Amino acid sequence: MKFSIITINYNNGAGLEKTMQSVLNQSARNFEYIVIDGGSTDKSLDIIKGHAEKLDYWISEPDKGIYHAMNKGTAAAHGEYLLFLNSGDVLNDNQVMEMVGKTDASADLLMGSIRMGENIVNPAPISLRLFYVGSVLHPGTFIRKSLLERCGGYDESLRIVSDWKFFLQACVFEHCTTEVIPFVISNFDMTGISSTNKELDEKERQQTLQKLIDPRIHGDYIRFLKGEHFQETPYDRFWAELRTSGFGRLFYRAALLFMKTLSYLRSDLKSFRKYPSNY
């Protein structure tokens, strides 16, 4: 199994050094390492050149943003699976790639845990609700390169949620396979733009959902998440509560049977009245 680890960076020399050290110090070298720099003006280029002989590919030139850089990394990668470890993120320990290489996982997404500060966040089951309140853990997930290419790569028109959009498309529309690998992959840098700009994150998510999902369904989905189903009127609320109680379920079924019987008798009476009285 061949892996590619891709690090993108722009003017984050201190974070880049930490990330590169965590990758280059791995006990197993069962991967290629790619660094995509956006033409940094700090010490990033010196750091890259200092490790150049250990890199499989690197480039430093202006780009159009985070996801343009990720797409460039994808194009340069030869691995079957890609892990995007941006500058500032680090692999959890020196044995991560050794442990990943020993698994027999073969799904489209190999999902591990990530560490966020003092907390370990485990991958959540795939559901539509997951993509409304969160996402697949990007720095803890190995992505099959052919799946990413099939989905058209990362949407470069989005600034911070294109990875979320890709996972949504892959899981909901492409029916990709997923598998949990039971260990922590990386420590997530919580100072990145996706962590600090929540307003833009929410705005881009809503714009994307409105494009991908029919507005009628999207509107219902929002109401369901807020618990508004069966509560549009007092009448709906009454029947919803009635159906959830033990005696209520029996009463509800009896009422339905009564209404159906009454409806049948009324329709039969209407049919009888259609005939002449001297028939």
Side-chain angles (χ1 to χ4, degrees):
M1 187 181 293
K2 177 79 171 180
F3 302 98
S4 297
I5 300 178
I6 300 169
T7 295
I8 67 165
N9 174 74
Y10 180 66
N11 283 345
N12 184 21
L16 178 63
E17 177 67 33
K18 290 194 304 181
T19 303
M20 294 183 70
Q21 288 291 349
S22 77
V23 175
L24 297 175
N25 289 333
Q26 287 296 298
S27 58
R29 190 59 193 257
N30 54 350
F31 60 91
E32 62 176 1
Y33 191 27
I34 295 169
V35 177
I36 306 295
D37 180 71
S40 295
T41 56
D42 66 351
K43 60 181 181 180
S44 295
L45 187 56
D46 291 335
I47 293 172
I48 295 171
K49 288 181 177 179
H51 298 291
E53 73 281 357
K54 300 177 183 178
L55 303 178
D56 295 278
Y57 177 85
W58 70 270
I59 191 170
S60 180
E61 63 181 14
D63 55 46
K64 301 174 184 177
I66 295 172
Y67 298 109
H68 181 216
M70 288 185 177
N71 285 336
K72 287 165 64 174
T74 301
H78 298 93
E80 180 183 358
Y81 288 96
L82 313 180
L83 175 68
F84 290 91
L85 194 72
N86 296 343
S87 62
D89 299 338
V90 297
L91 293 175
N92 187 56
D93 56 45
N94 293 345
Q95 284 75 48
V96 168
M97 293 308 299
E98 181 179 353
M99 291 189 295
V100 173
K102 290 179 179 179
T103 69
D104 57 358
S106 59
D108 294 320
L109 301 178
L110 312 182
M111 306 186 302
S113 303
I114 65 172
R115 191 183 302 275
M116 299 181 69
E118 299 298 319
N119 301 316
I120 293 178
V121 182
N122 298 316
I126 299 299
S127 68
L128 189 55
R129 185 179 187 280
L130 168 65
F131 293 104
Y132 194 87
V133 300
S135 184
V136 174
L137 304 174
H138 198 204
T141 301
F142 291 84
I143 303 167
R144 191 182 293 277
K145 182 182 178 182
S146 59
L147 172 67
L148 184 55
E149 292 174 331
R150 193 164 76 242
C151 291
Y154 293 108
D155 184 346
E156 297 174 14
S157 69
L158 297 170
R159 287 184 58 195
I160 61 176
V161 303
S162 189
D163 52 311
W164 166 83
K165 180 184 178 182
F166 156 69
F167 286 125
L168 174 65
Q169 289 178 299
C171 294
V172 178
F173 302 114
E174 293 293 328
H175 308 289
C176 73
T177 56
T178 62
E179 193 166 348
V180 172
I181 46 180
F183 35 83
V184 178
I185 300 298
S186 66
N187 301 343
F188 179 61
D189 179 10
M190 298 179 66
T191 63
I193 185 173
S194 62
S195 298
T196 58
N197 197 334
K198 294 300 184 182
E199 184 177 346
L200 179 58
D201 183 286
E202 180 62 24
K203 179 181 178 180
E204 289 193 343
R205 283 177 181 244
Q206 290 304 321
Q207 289 175 342
T208 301
L209 281 173
Q210 289 168 5
K211 288 180 181 178
L212 293 179
I213 302 176
D214 187 291
R216 296 165 295 183
I217 298 174
H218 181 238
D220 285 342
Y221 181 54
I222 293 175
R223 287 192 290 273
F224 292 160
L225 282 179
K226 293 180 179 179
E228 296 178 4
H229 48 299
F230 301 125
Q231 296 181 8
E232 295 180 359
T233 67
Y235 175 82
D236 292 329
R237 192 179 301 112
F238 167 76
W239 285 106
E241 292 174 356
L242 186 62
R243 281 180 288 184
T244 58
S245 65
F247 175 77
R249 283 197 297 271
L250 180 61
F251 177 80
Y252 179 71
R253 291 175 182 174
L256 281 181
L257 179 61
F258 173 76
M259 294 301 293
K260 288 181 179 180
T261 303
L262 182 60
S263 176
Y264 172 78
L265 291 175
R266 291 182 63 185
S267 64
D268 190 62
L269 183 60
K270 288 180 181 179
S271 299
F272 176 76
R273 287 174 177 170
K274 289 193 300 183
Y275 294 103
S277 58
N278 61 349
Y279 178 74

